[in-house]
Amino acid sequence: MASKPGILTEWPWTWLGNFKYLVLAPWAVPATYSFLTKDDNRKYLSSFLVLPLLISRAVHNLIWISLSRYRTAKGNNRIVDKSIEFEQVDRERNWDDQIILNGIIMYTAIMFIKYAQRVPWWSTDGLIWTFLLHAGPVEFLYYWLHRALHHHFLYSRYHSHHHSSIVTEPITSVIHPFAEHISYYLLFSIPLLTTLFMGNGSILAITIYLTYIDFMNNMGHCNFELIPKWLFSAFPPLKYLMYTPSYHSLHHTQFRTNYSLFMPFYDYVYGTMDKSSDTLYEKSLVREEESPDVVHLTHLTTPESIYHLRLGFPYLASQPHKSNWYLWLMWPVTVWSMMITWIYGRTFTVERNVFKNLKLQTWAIPKYSIQYYMQWQKEIINTMIENSILEAEDKGVRVLSLGLLNQEEGLNKNGELFLKRQPQLKVKLVDGSSLVVAVVINSIPKGTTQVVLKGNLSKVAYSIALALCQDGIQVFTMSNDEYKKLQAKLSKEAGNNLVLSKSNTPKTWLVGDGLSEEEQLNAPKGTIFIPFSQFPPKKMRKDCFYNTTPAMLAPKHLENVDSCENWLPRRVMSAWRIAGILHAMEEWNVNECGDMMFNIEKIWQASLEHGFRPLTNVIDSKPN
């Protein structure tokens, strides 16, 4: 929102929320129906093609945001090092409003301009006129409009909303108040309306022009430089006809320079070109890929989790992961992406963060959770994990956090397999089990003397049972087999606090993977379920309470946090991921994988000292 919002700041359909696309229905539905049912003399191809064009523009933007976030996470050619936070993501969530406005304008033009109803596929004259009119009137008028928008009166009421994003992303280009967008569309309509009234407009000319605007807008707001230097060397006048991401980035950091739309020509003419434009351009071009100190290795979970990656849908990624009804409309893309992961996949960078002096990255293995339990996929997945470890080793990574990769201990014995295969590794492998145990133990309500331990017995489960029994807290189990396995891991003294009972169970349940719906239904009313697993249990009870999976609230000095980690709330980070950061900060030069456990109390105190905080209020009683 602008600092002093003016009239027509809000978009007219804001109140519709995710149903705002219905605004196009009165035009799109009749146009499609008419084209499919009426004879050739009564149907309009141009009207029918509006909706596909709008969809293609949305896809175009999503491709750019994915490319931009991937490249800025890796670090090569990055321009500005400042971070993006949730506030910017929320402000830029309405990037598609301008596509809806574009659709309304196009449908209206077709309705009232007779030539637009029968516009031909191609006209060379029309295309030439379109770009001549853009290079002349549009660029010139935009330059002066842009300068006017930087006058304090208009800037505080409108344009300051756009400039709230110091670090730009492709979709930043279209984040403006409604009134400002109207002025832009009046400018951009000059070439299109002129050619339509001249009778030489065409479907492809309109499509090419709109694609050109989207391409230049998105490219210019990327936070990495991608225009090669040889292009300007081969054709020197091009520097006056095409801006670069670094050129426009200076406008967002300096505010009073580089006003031009896509052609810097008018900045040169009127003396508003930033003198550091060439220096920043060359500096950004040679910037090498960043070498992280800590890497968090994770993977896809549910089929819809591809849309939760911060690479594609920024606003979805900024919310805790859940299945939304409209994602079912994307099932062809979902199925296609799943097929790709079955056949081919390579680890890719999805996020970068900064924690004090540490550079952090998150790498994702393109395999879904279900694949980790398939015998024939295990060797493939282990090879991908091992290759990622070796890549981290080559890049000088200090700590690699195994994250979700240890959900199935039979896969690689909590990472022990890789230490045996690569005994010379300098990078330390940390599965985070010790901090997970610490978080679970400290999530138990004070004064609790009895707990139930349910779910598959894992390394974490054994460690929790041992720590609680040693502290004098009784641990209940309802399975004779589980009781024997736990008893075998405990000392005689600690084993006295292990209880086998199928009735009169406590109301504090520590649950892992494998907790059945029947077991949940048999829990006493008011039970608190505290997960120690990576995945949260399915919520079956309205009269019980469900904690998050082991996690802590991240401190403010963890930078560039603009997405949620799986099912966790904003700025909440899983204990598995935090553990890797702590090992690097404290310079603990040890591995924590296989059967190895780090000191539970020591890592808990370290987490608090570095600003991480327990989740005291994240308890939910609502079922899925």
Side-chain angles (χ1 to χ4, degrees):
M1 189 68 68
S3 54
K4 298 179 182 179
I7 60 172
L8 295 180
T9 291
E10 287 284 345
W11 289 76
W13 45 79
T14 300
W15 62 277
L16 287 172
N18 290 330
F19 294 96
K20 62 186 178 182
Y21 306 105
L22 294 176
V23 170
L24 291 171
W27 292 278
V29 173
T32 304
Y33 178 79
S34 175
F35 184 82
L36 295 176
T37 60
K38 293 183 178 180
D39 56 60
D40 292 342
N41 293 327
R42 298 171 60 197
K43 61 184 178 183
Y44 304 140
L45 177 63
S46 55
S47 184
F48 172 72
L49 291 176
V50 169
L51 187 58
L53 176 60
L54 300 181
I55 294 173
S56 71
R57 292 190 66 198
V59 173
H60 188 175
N61 285 342
L62 290 172
I63 291 172
W64 270 107
I65 187 63
S66 298
L67 174 64
S68 177
R69 288 192 161 201
Y70 173 72
R71 284 288 299 271
T72 52
K74 289 174 70 67
N76 50 319
N77 309 126
R78 191 164 61 235
I79 302 168
V80 179
D81 278 328
K82 293 182 179 179
S83 63
I84 295 172
E85 305 293 334
F86 286 110
E87 181 185 4
Q88 179 170 338
V89 176
D90 291 341
R91 186 174 59 253
E92 296 182 348
R93 67 168 299 190
N94 68 328
W95 62 268
D96 49 354
D97 278 345
Q98 51 90 27
I99 295 178
I100 297 175
L101 177 61
N102 182 208
I104 293 173
I105 293 173
M106 295 182 76
Y107 281 122
T108 304
I110 292 170
M111 186 183 301
F112 291 102
I113 301 175
K114 190 172 182 180
Y115 179 80
Q117 298 171 1
R118 299 290 181 182
V119 65
W121 274 103
W122 179 251
S123 170
T124 303
D125 291 347
L127 184 63
I128 293 173
W129 272 108
T130 296
F131 281 93
L132 286 176
L133 290 166
H134 174 85
V138 173
E139 289 280 347
F140 175 77
L141 291 172
Y142 178 89
Y143 174 83
W144 287 106
L145 171 64
H146 197 179
R147 288 192 66 168
L149 287 169
H150 276 262
H151 183 275
H152 65 85
F153 181 85
L154 292 177
Y155 184 82
S156 62
R157 286 162 176 79
Y158 297 103
H159 202 52
S160 59
H161 179 70
H162 176 70
H163 273 275
S164 297
S165 301
I166 304 298
V167 181
T168 59
E169 296 197 289
I171 53 177
T172 305
S173 62
V174 293
I175 302 304
H176 305 280
F178 180 61
E180 195 172 331
H181 257 295
I182 292 175
S183 65
Y184 294 148
Y185 270 98
L186 287 174
L187 285 180
F188 295 140
S189 65
I190 291 173
L192 302 179
L193 292 177
T194 302
T195 55
L196 288 177
F197 284 119
M198 289 173 64
N200 57 13
S202 66
I203 291 173
L204 288 179
I206 294 171
T207 302
I208 291 171
Y209 183 55
L210 291 178
T211 303
Y212 164 76
I213 291 173
D214 287 342
F215 180 90
M216 295 299 291
N217 247 336
N218 285 316
M219 182 270 291
H221 285 80
C222 285
N223 189 28
F224 68 96
E225 188 55 75
L226 75 163
I227 307 300
K229 192 173 182 178
W230 64 262
L231 199 60
F232 295 109
S233 300
F235 187 62
L238 192 63
K239 69 182 295 185
Y240 304 105
L241 302 176
M242 184 178 74
Y243 74 167
T244 65
S246 57
Y247 184 92
H248 190 70
S249 177
L250 282 168
H251 176 70
H252 276 262
T253 55
Q254 304 303 317
F255 298 103
R256 297 293 182 181
T257 57
N258 296 5
Y259 290 105
S260 292
L261 178 55
F262 305 141
M263 301 177 179
F265 173 76
Y266 293 104
D267 279 313
Y268 283 93
V269 170
Y270 295 108
T272 53
M273 187 203 72
D274 196 294
K275 294 179 181 180
S276 62
S277 296
D278 292 340
T279 303
L280 181 62
Y281 169 71
E282 294 184 5
K283 181 180 177 182
S284 302
L285 271 183
V286 298
R287 183 166 184 170
E288 296 181 353
E289 183 176 326
E290 201 168 68
S291 294
D293 300 299
V294 180
V295 167
H296 174 62
L297 202 57
T298 186
H299 65 76
L300 298 169
T301 53
T302 63
E304 295 85 9
S305 62
I306 58 167
Y307 307 115
H308 188 69
L309 291 174
R310 67 184 300 277
L311 299 182
F313 294 83
Y315 188 71
L316 282 181
S318 72
Q319 301 291 325
H321 180 36
K322 60 182 179 181
S323 293
N324 295 297
W325 63 268
Y326 46 83
L327 292 182
W328 287 102
L329 301 176
M330 301 285 290
W331 68 266
V333 179
T334 307
V335 173
W336 175 79
S337 69
M338 290 186 70
M339 293 301 296
I340 293 296
T341 65
W342 290 95
I343 303 168
Y344 172 80
R346 182 179 177 183
T347 304
F348 56 97
T349 305
V350 295
E351 188 175 359
R352 74 175 179 96
N353 304 99
V354 177
F355 188 86
K356 296 182 180 178
N357 62 328
L358 288 182
K359 297 177 182 178
L360 317 176
Q361 284 186 359
T362 298
W363 296 356
I365 290 179
K367 294 291 182 182
Y368 292 91
S369 295
I370 191 173
Q371 292 170 280
Y372 281 71
Y373 297 98
M374 296 179 177
Q375 191 63 38
W376 66 278
Q377 283 279 302
K378 288 186 176 182
E379 188 55 39
I380 297 172
I381 293 172
N382 278 333
T383 299
M384 295 178 71
I385 296 173
E386 186 171 8
N387 289 339
S388 299
I389 293 172
L390 294 176
E391 182 180 353
E393 177 83 353
D394 291 340
K395 291 183 176 183
V397 174
R398 291 157 54 187
V399 176
L400 189 141
S401 169
L402 294 173
L404 283 174
L405 302 176
N406 291 312
Q407 59 175 297
E408 172 56 49
E409 294 186 8
L411 181 67
N412 49 56
K413 296 183 179 179
N414 285 322
E416 183 180 357
L417 173 68
F418 307 119
L419 290 182
K420 290 182 177 180
R421 288 182 179 179
Q422 307 291 340
Q424 78 290 351
L425 283 177
K426 294 181 181 179
V427 59
K428 298 304 176 184
L429 306 183
V430 175
D431 66 13
S433 297
S434 56
L435 186 58
V436 171
V437 174
V439 169
V440 171
I441 290 174
N442 285 278
S443 298
I444 298 172
K446 290 184 178 180
T448 300
T449 58
Q450 297 177 330
V451 300
V452 174
L453 188 69
K454 289 297 298 180
N456 299 336
L457 293 181
S458 60
K459 171 184 176 180
V460 169
Y462 285 120
S463 299
I464 290 173
L466 176 61
L468 292 177
C469 288
Q470 287 177 339
D471 286 344
I473 296 176
Q474 288 186 319
V475 177
F476 282 62
T477 179
M478 303 175 193
S479 165
N480 188 56
D481 185 51
E482 290 179 359
Y483 177 81
K484 291 180 179 178
K485 290 180 179 179
L486 287 169
Q487 192 75 43
K489 295 279 186 176
L490 302 177
S491 64
K492 184 177 181 180
E493 182 180 353
N496 293 329
N497 288 315
L498 187 65
V499 179
L500 175 62
S501 175
K502 296 186 178 180
S503 61
N504 299 321
T505 57
K507 291 187 177 182
T508 300
W509 285 37
L510 311 182
V511 297
D513 293 324
L515 177 70
S516 68
E517 294 181 5
E518 182 182 358
E519 288 171 328
Q520 281 199 59
L521 295 174
N522 289 331
K525 181 180 179 181
T527 293
I528 299 175
F529 293 101
I530 303 175
F532 57 81
S533 57
Q534 293 273 7
F535 298 94
K538 186 176 181 179
K539 299 169 186 175
M540 303 294 299
R541 300 280 297 275
K542 292 183 179 181
D543 57 354
C544 293
F545 301 92
Y546 295 80
N547 275 27
T548 65
T549 52
M552 301 181 77
L553 182 64
K556 291 183 178 180
H557 51 260
L558 177 64
E559 300 177 22
N560 207 46
V561 181
D562 60 2
S563 62
C564 290
E565 187 178 350
N566 298 315
W567 307 271
L568 299 173
R570 289 184 169 186
R571 293 199 68 85
V572 173
M573 184 176 286
S574 71
W576 291 270
R577 187 175 176 185
I578 295 171
I581 299 173
L582 297 177
H583 272 255
M585 287 298 299
E586 295 292 326
E587 298 183 352
W588 294 325
N589 196 29
V590 295
N591 293 297
E592 184 187 34
C593 55
D595 293 328
M596 293 178 282
M597 283 287 293
F598 193 72
N599 186 293
I600 295 171
E601 182 59 28
K602 188 175 182 179
I603 198 167
W604 174 251
Q605 291 302 321
S607 69
L608 299 179
E609 289 171 5
H610 287 289
F612 292 97
R613 290 292 175 261
L615 301 179
T616 56
N617 297 316
V618 186
I619 296 180
D620 184 15
S621 60
K622 297 179 181 178
N624 285 337

